[in-house]
Amino acid sequence: MAEIRIEQVRKAYGANKVVHGVDLTFRSGEFVVILGPSGCGKSTLLRMIAGLEDISSGEIVIDDVVVNQLEPRERGCAMVFQNYALYPHMDVAANMGYALKVAGVPKDERDRRIKETARIVGLEDFLDRKPAQLSGGQRQRVAMGRAIIREPKVFLFDEPLSNLDAKLRVQMRVEIRRLHKRLSATSVFVTHDQVEAMTLADKLVVMYKGKVEQVGTPLEVYNKPRTRFVGSFIGSPAMNFLEGTFSADGANFVFDGIPIPVDPVIGKANAGRAAALGIRPEHARMVPVGTPGSIPATVDFIEELGAGRVIHSDINGSNFALSISDHVTGETGQSIALQLPFEHIHLFSHETDLRLDLAETTPVREKELVS
Ligand code: ADP
Ligand code: MG
């Protein structure tokens, strides 16, 4: 078991700053997912933990030991990569046992651990196959076996499922979670896939442009996104945003001349100011056209998903998506009206993109947030 502390960690490649002072603490045994768009610095951060990349400034501490100067193999971390990185000329057993061989573990002990690991990852019958004779999912299992066999304190996963097809990805996700339950080593899993992140994480870290935007449980992050970016990045279809201004008395957010009632505490504190209103597609409601306070929209097209459907509509040139479970018939150009329930409205500052009722987000240590 291992606790990881990341303190004011920065990384620059020459003049290009890619990680801007990250503070995070991962508790022993926790499954942490780092989620963010491509290029936001996830792999760089993970590679700095592993020791595969130098740290420009700051400290990484594993179990109270500053590891900045330690070699990768001295850190007790095992990493699983997206491209598996298997040795093509070695069979499964040799691939899994390689690190033990290098470490001088005697052959009988090695064979015992290869067998045991193969059982855990479900590859007992494939030990003498070469990687080229395996499916993508089996190769990914070899890569995981190779990590497990070293009995690391920490597992680091860099988008390990991204090369698999959709069905296998879901299956491997379940297997990784099951494996974590069994081994309970601290795990840090990097992905750009929000569904993977929501389903795997005990603790979710959302990164954007080299900074941490929010830390919380998946539901905390979903229910109270700390920034407009987090609101827009998590959830599918994505959160809708309306640009407007709070009324002078603070009771409403006024969009296109339509007053939308909002939390008066937020409204009063921001009276007269411009802001963005966010609402998730599953939280907006369709009401009869002409209902007072409703927003008129026109149907663009309806996306049928089997279990539900998404109405893509247009409000004065902006897209607005609405998820519903009932069957509807509608056609392009049809007029509809939308209502935005008070309790599901998210309000973000126009200037900073921060949530306006920020005090209500998860009380993460200030240090864990953006520097
Ligand atoms: P992510 O994993 O979130 O997609 P990365 O950590 O790989 O992002 O990259 C973050 C940024 O750092 C990107 O802009 C990328 O181009 C840059 N970068 C990554 N590795 C190097 C490198 N070895 N040299 C220069 N720039 C790099
Ligand atoms: Mg990456």
Side-chain angles (χ1 to χ4, degrees), residues 35-38 40 206-209 211-214 225-234 239 241 280 348 352-355:
L35 171 68
S38 175
C40 74
V206 185
M207 268 185 88
Y208 183 49
K209 294 184 175 170
K211 290 184 180 180
V212 172
E213 291 268 308
Q214 186 165 14
R226 186 177 166 273
T227 63
R228 179 173 173 158
F229 170 78
V230 175
S232 68
F233 195 68
I234 295 177
M239 184 180 272
F241 291 97
R280 296 200 181 280
F348 299 97
T352 62
D353 282 345
L354 282 172
R355 186 181 188 84

Side-chain angles (χ1 to χ4, degrees), residues 38-39 41-44 82 158-159 190:
S38 175
K42 305 179 297 292
S43 294
T44 303
Q82 176 177 352
D158 193 355
E159 312 231 11
V190 159

Side-chain angles (χ1 to χ4, degrees), residues 258-259 261 287-295 337-339:
I258 304 161
V287 292
V289 172
T291 303
S294 66
I295 303 168
L338 305 169
Q339 206 166 50

